[in-house]
Amino acid sequence: MTILSKTGTVTVTLDGSNKSASLPLLEGTLGTPVADIRKLYNDLGIFTFDPGYGETASCDSKITYIDGDAGVLLYRGYPIEQLAEHSDFVEVCYLLMYGNLPNAAELAEFKKGVTYHTMVHEQIRQFFSGFRRDAHPMAIMCGVVGALAAFYHDNINMTDPRQREIAAFRLIAKMPTIAAMAYKYALGQPFVYPRNDLSYAANFLHMLNSVPAEPYVVSPVLEKAMDRILVLHADHEQNASTSTVRLAGSTGANPFACIAAGIAALWGPAHGGANEAVLKMLADIGTPDKIPQFIAEVKDKNSHTKLMGFGHRVYKNFDPRAKIMKESCHEVLAELGVKNEPLLDMAMEMERIALTDDYFVSRKLYPNVDFYSGIILKAMGIPTSMFTVIFAVARTIGWVSQWKELVEDPSQRIGRPRQIYTGAPARDYQPISNRG
Ligand code: CMC
């Protein structure tokens, strides 16, 4: 563990006893101080309770920082706004993985390392024929990425930094290839091999959109838009899928299996599945005049309806990614010549109403990254079922970097939370004849 200056203590006293514990107060480079509770059980015989880990730091990390109240997101200290404007996805991958921006030689070497691994083993193709054509591509991603563990199991020695690096390269490089294969499989079109002369984003678009029957030229507008989507989704500190990857990684599991676990966690509509859910929500509402009725339903606690693309566990202000995505959305639609996009109009009207409605204002519910990303992806001709897959392609570098950080931390232990047991007290087994 890298630490963290000890800036004070917190004293916890157990009421009704003379016991108390002095807990060190630790501070990272930025952010809220944390009380180190590791001695609490020894000193007081109690655990802490924090379902959903809303107030618990599960690790120390140098990768990504979020200030949810101020709406700030930094990758390795660099503001997301600057990276979205000046950098590109592969450079951001280097930054997240190694901690600093590369020089020209380092970037060229890194690109070579990643592009070398873009193809998948030919036997992987056969996995696809085992899936139904109408399978959700995220289900296919969980299966196929997990299956990579079967291809690279024996030759991964995780104590060897070079082998960890190659596993990371393989994951970053092969994700777009597998994602595009999942898409092509649903369409019934042939799989398209990667082209290493294209940029990461352009190659991904090429594998998604080209067919052998005619030439396909990647539009620079779409390439830039895809690259920006990848940059914005690349990492987000200890979110549900990243924590899943870390938890799986803490057992020493194969890295491909860990990333498959992350994909499964990302799929849920409360997390990465929200971008797909936003489009479904807008389509279900249908027309702007139905928005007030929908908002009333969201505010009715008995309805269990959520305004998808709004709210965040950490951001209690605008999600900075949503701001960039909103600008990007207008740019992309303009450059693609989409004059009237009813979904965008609906989204903007929804945002306007929600940002002035006391229900959302008092709960600090702002648009998150998923509110606008789906509209851009739809304008780019990508079907809704692929939205979360694209999120997974982007987030792979975050998962891989966090996995690497975990594995390289000599103080890391298996992740193993506690619980409050609320089940039956100890009781004796009864033969079936005695069970009423
Ligand atoms: N629509 C309506 N009410 C909401 C929403 C929403 N989208 N989000 C939160 N609330 C309400 C919630 O019902 C609660 O109200 P009350 O205090 O009266 O009980 C209050 O706001 C606090 O919410 P919470 O459930 O404690 O918040 P959380 O931190 O547990 O959940 C969230 C965060 C992202 C799961 C949730 O806001 C949500 O489900 N949003 C919609 C799904 C979504 O857009 N997810 C994408 C997140 S960003 C991308 C990513 O990380 O993958």
Side-chain angles (χ1 to χ4, degrees):
M1 187 182 226
T2 343
I3 293 274
L4 306 169
S5 47
K6 189 181 149 191
T7 54
T9 52
V10 181
T11 305
V12 179
T13 306
L14 208 54
D15 289 348
S17 83
N18 57 359
K19 284 187 183 171
S20 69
S22 176
L23 309 176
L25 200 57
L26 307 177
E27 267 190 59
T29 347
L30 296 168
T32 311
V34 297
D36 180 348
I37 59 161
R38 281 174 290 174
K39 292 214 175 108
L40 203 57
Y41 181 68
N42 269 348
D43 291 357
L44 296 185
I46 58 170
F47 293 131
T48 53
F49 182 54
D50 184 17
Y53 313 119
E55 317 257 315
T56 298
S58 60
C59 62
D60 64 289
S61 177
K62 293 186 170 63
I63 302 174
T64 293
Y65 173 73
I66 302 173
D67 180 339
D69 293 326
V72 167
L73 169 61
L74 310 177
Y75 292 167
R76 299 282 190 181
Y78 295 101
I80 190 66
E81 293 80 2
Q82 293 181 21
L83 294 169
E85 190 173 347
H86 303 296
S87 187
D88 65 39
F89 183 64
V90 173
E91 188 177 67
V92 165
C93 288
Y94 184 100
L95 173 68
L96 288 170
M97 217 164 122
Y98 299 111
N100 288 305
L101 287 169
N103 63 29
E106 287 165 340
L107 184 60
E109 192 57 29
F110 182 70
K111 273 189 183 153
K112 206 167 94 193
V114 170
T115 49
Y116 184 76
H117 292 285
T118 49
M119 290 200 298
V120 291
H121 195 290
E122 278 295 292
Q123 243 176 292
I124 292 273
R125 300 167 77 89
Q126 290 165 25
F127 272 81
F128 283 85
S129 50
F131 292 108
R132 283 172 57 130
R133 291 271 175 196
D134 61 355
H136 196 286
M138 281 299 276
I140 297 183
M141 295 301 287
C142 292
V144 178
V145 175
L148 292 177
F151 285 82
Y152 305 110
H153 185 72
D154 293 342
N155 56 3
I156 293 185
N157 169 8
M158 284 191 317
T159 60
D160 177 351
R162 180 64 189 144
Q163 293 198 31
R164 287 198 295 272
E165 192 171 49
I166 291 175
F169 282 170
R170 283 192 170 123
L171 278 156
I172 303 161
K174 291 183 201 308
M175 274 308 262
T177 313
I178 297 170
M181 287 169 92
Y183 177 51
K184 289 295 191 189
Y185 183 71
L187 290 180
Q189 290 181 2
F191 297 140
V192 177
Y193 285 106
R195 268 186 52 191
N196 291 352
D197 60 320
L198 298 175
S199 73
Y200 192 94
N203 173 50
F204 188 23
L205 288 167
H206 155 75
M207 291 188 293
L208 287 171
N209 296 328
S210 69
V211 288
E214 53 190 61
Y216 172 77
V217 180
V218 181
S219 142
V221 177
L222 298 190
E223 179 183 353
K224 187 170 158 236
M226 177 60 84
D227 192 81
R228 185 167 275 191
I229 287 170
L230 297 175
V231 168
L232 293 180
H233 287 86
D235 194 46
H236 216 225
E237 51 117 306
Q238 309 311 319
N239 56 82
S241 58
T242 302
S243 297
T244 303
V245 170
R246 276 188 177 259
L247 200 54
S250 77
T251 70
N254 176 285
F256 299 99
C258 295
I259 302 304
I263 295 172
L266 183 75
W267 191 4
H271 191 7
N275 51 16
E276 185 177 342
V278 168
L279 266 262
K280 187 176 177 312
M281 171 188 78
L282 293 174
D284 286 349
I285 297 170
T287 47
D289 58 303
K290 307 256 172 55
I291 293 177
Q293 188 188 327
F294 177 76
I295 295 278
E297 191 183 320
V298 167
K299 288 159 63 176
D300 174 4
K301 284 279 165 202
N302 298 322
S303 77
H304 301 293
T305 305
K306 285 248 160 91
L307 175 49
M308 300 311 286
F310 259 70
H312 197 274
R313 169 59 61 80
V314 181
Y315 292 119
K316 301 302 169 197
N317 198 326
F318 256 93
D319 176 341
R321 303 167 301 169
K323 275 191 193 163
I324 304 169
M325 202 64 94
K326 184 177 174 181
E327 280 165 26
S328 215
C329 194
H330 288 288
E331 275 168 32
V332 170
L333 293 181
E335 288 184 62
L336 289 175
V338 180
K339 293 236 167 49
N340 294 313
E341 172 51 67
L343 285 177
L344 181 62
D345 296 343
M346 291 249 300
M348 286 180 54
E349 178 60 4
M350 185 90 91
E351 184 193 274
R352 192 192 62 76
I353 294 177
L355 290 180
T356 49
D357 187 305
D358 187 56
Y359 175 94
F360 299 93
V361 174
S362 62
R363 289 172 179 75
K364 299 187 177 165
L365 300 171
Y366 291 88
N368 60 50
V369 68
D370 290 319
F371 194 66
Y372 283 103
S373 63
I375 297 168
I376 303 187
L377 289 169
K378 183 172 182 293
M380 291 167 72
I382 292 174
T384 40
S385 63
M386 284 297 289
F387 291 1
T388 315
V389 176
I390 287 163
F391 194 155
V393 169
R395 184 55 57 84
T396 296
I397 181 56
W399 292 330
V400 160
S401 304
Q402 301 264 357
W403 169 81
K404 208 167 150 288
E405 186 177 68
L406 167 106
V407 174
E408 290 170 5
D409 177 355
S411 70
Q412 83 87 14
R413 304 198 301 160
I414 186 169
R416 193 358 181 141
R418 296 291 185 154
Q419 63 167 6
I420 303 182
Y421 175 68
T422 55
R427 49 186 166 164
D428 290 323
Y429 178 83
Q430 296 295 319
I432 199 161
S433 53
N434 287 4
R435 295 178 217 159

